[in-house]
Amino acid sequence: MKARLPQGMGKGPAGNMNQMLKQAQQMQDKITALQADLEQREFTASVGGGAVEIKINGKREVLSLKIKPEVVDPEDVEMLQDLIMSAFNEAVHNLDEVSDAEMSELTGGVSFPGLF
């Protein structure tokens, strides 16, 4: 009597391993493409009721900084510094949120430590 193996069995471990490696390479290619896409995008944040607006790219480089003249007070430079830092941090937070959401969608929610 001949034994019947479940479908997909009998190909051997090498066949399954090759398929897994192929899928991992496809996933890596998609992740690389997403990272390149994110680097080209722009993220903007505005704080202080629009007093300070900053635009960064996906590489976290500042592309533009707008400061309304009425917030430039030589007697209170610290407030302006705080507004600029806050705007930058908010823009980076926006970038991170988009990056995390799109990466999670791409990987099905599986995290790959050290990869992104």
Side-chain angles (χ1 to χ4, degrees), residues 1-115:
M1 176 175 222
K2 203 174 198 182
R4 297 182 78 199
L5 296 174
Q7 189 173 9
M9 296 295 290
K11 292 182 181 179
N16 289 338
M17 182 59 80
N18 287 337
Q19 182 64 26
M20 285 178 24
L21 290 173
K22 184 178 178 181
Q23 288 174 340
Q25 183 59 49
Q26 289 172 344
M27 178 71 71
Q28 179 61 43
D29 292 344
K30 289 179 182 178
I31 289 170
T32 300
L34 176 58
Q35 288 171 330
D37 178 53
L38 285 169
E39 287 181 356
Q40 300 304 311
R41 293 191 205 173
E42 296 178 357
F43 301 85
T44 303
S46 180
V47 297
V52 174
E53 180 181 288
I54 194 162
K55 184 185 296 185
I56 66 170
N57 64 18
K59 296 177 188 178
R60 293 173 168 74
E61 299 169 332
V62 176
L63 301 175
S64 70
L65 173 64
K66 295 179 184 175
I67 302 171
K68 288 192 175 179
E70 57 267 22
V71 297
V72 180
D73 179 0
E75 301 297 319
D76 193 3
V77 174
E78 284 185 15
M79 181 194 66
L80 182 56
Q81 292 170 337
D82 289 344
L83 286 170
I84 293 169
M85 285 188 299
S86 180
F88 180 78
N89 289 336
E90 182 65 26
V92 169
H93 176 73
N94 294 343
L95 163 62
D96 289 342
E97 271 189 348
V98 169
S99 177
D100 290 348
E102 292 186 17
M103 199 63 72
S104 179
E105 184 178 314
L106 180 69
T107 63
V110 176
S111 178
F112 297 96
L115 188 56

